[in-house]
Amino acid sequence: DTGVSQDPRHKITKRGQNVTFRCDPISEHNRLYWYRQTLGQGPEFLTYFQNEAQLEKSRLLSDRFSAERPKGSFSTLEIQRTEQGDSAMYLCASSSTGEEEPQHFGDGTRLSIL
Amino acid sequence: AQSVTQLGSHVSVSEGALVLLRCNYSSSVPPYLFWYVQYPNQGLQLLLKYTSAATLVKGINGFEAEFKKSETSFHLTKPSAHMSDAAEYFCAVRGGSNYKLTFGKGTLLTVNP
């Protein structure tokens, strides 16, 4: 049973650059979630997909952020024109259908903005 | 809307002592509740979940939690702490068909030898 896989694990970039993260969910899971975790805080919800449809987006997701899940399998999260405040751990989770199903998390991508 | 309050950002116990991590929630609909553990530079691992069946939930690594509706609480316990339990613990709530998780700020557990 392979878990949720995220790539890269670490990303260091200069302010103003664009970055893209990838998430591969557990294969049979049709739901995929992105969260952001800053130092000393719990994860905060960013967006949610069911299959390829993006069903909910947080107000935290400014117009510089975009997420896709084109074929209902892997997902990408892109941040354009990065800012210092974007430095955080970006976590991906997936779950199967059913209200009681828990979300399973990947190890995250840590983004550092210089 | 849902919210979670974790009382105590840092809890320190001796090895072999009882672990008690507190979580209170607020939810406008019957909640689903979860405890996750996070080790340094890793993602979150599910410890246990409450989904309206038994109010006393048993999880992995000897942890358990009790759902108390009247107190809106879901405290996490373990009878005897082990050094390997040292990590950050997060309580999370989800309400009905709203699939996003709302997390508390976390409690860092330190286990002293």
Side-chain angles (χ1 to χ4, degrees), chain B residues 1 6 9 46 57 60 74 85 95 112:
Chain B
Q6 290 186 242
S9 59
L46 179 70
V57 180
I60 62 171
F74 190 56
D85 295 327
N112 303 306

Side-chain angles (χ1 to χ4, degrees), chain A residues 9 31 33 35 37 40-43 45 48 56 89 91 98-108 110, chain B residues 32 34 36 38 41-44 46 49 51-52 88 90 94 96-106:
Chain A
R9 289 294 313 279
R31 293 187 176 135
Y33 315 79
Y35 292 83
Q37 184 180 21
Q41 301 294 319
F45 171 79
Y48 153 58
E56 186 172 349
M89 174 81 91
L91 293 163
E99 284 193 3
E100 298 186 358
E101 294 301 315
Q103 295 175 26
H104 298 269
F105 284 79
D107 282 339
R110 182 168 295 283
Chain B
Y32 297 116
F34 307 84
Y36 286 87
Q38 186 176 35
N41 297 314
Q42 292 187 22
L44 281 71
L46 179 70
K49 64 177 182 177
T51 57
S52 77
E88 188 141 30
F90 292 94
R94 213 186 74 207
S97 59
N98 185 341
Y99 292 102
K100 70 179 184 183
L101 289 171
T102 299
F103 287 85
K105 291 188 175 182

Side-chain angles (χ1 to χ4, degrees), chain B residues 9-77:
Chain B
S9 59
H10 187 196
V11 170
S12 182
V13 301
S14 298
E15 192 174 18
L18 171 73
V19 175
L20 170 60
L21 304 182
R22 299 179 187 273
C23 171
N24 288 88
Y25 71 92
S26 172
S27 178
S28 54
V29 296
Y32 297 116
L33 292 157
F34 307 84
W35 275 100
Y36 286 87
V37 61
Q38 186 176 35
Y39 297 96
N41 297 314
Q42 292 187 22
L44 281 71
Q45 179 183 5
L46 179 70
L47 280 177
L48 48 79
K49 64 177 182 177
Y50 167 76
T51 57
S52 77
T55 55
L56 183 61
V57 180
K58 294 188 184 298
I60 62 171
N61 301 338
F63 284 95
E64 62 181 37
E66 186 173 9
F67 173 71
K68 292 187 177 181
K69 183 178 179 180
S70 60
E71 299 177 8
T72 61
S73 70
F74 190 56
H75 301 331
L76 182 71
T77 61

Side-chain angles (χ1 to χ4, degrees), chain A residues 36-50:
Chain A
R36 182 174 70 185
Q37 184 180 21
T38 54
L39 207 59
Q41 301 294 319
E44 296 174 291
F45 171 79
L46 292 178
T47 191
Y48 153 58
F49 290 85
Q50 180 158 317

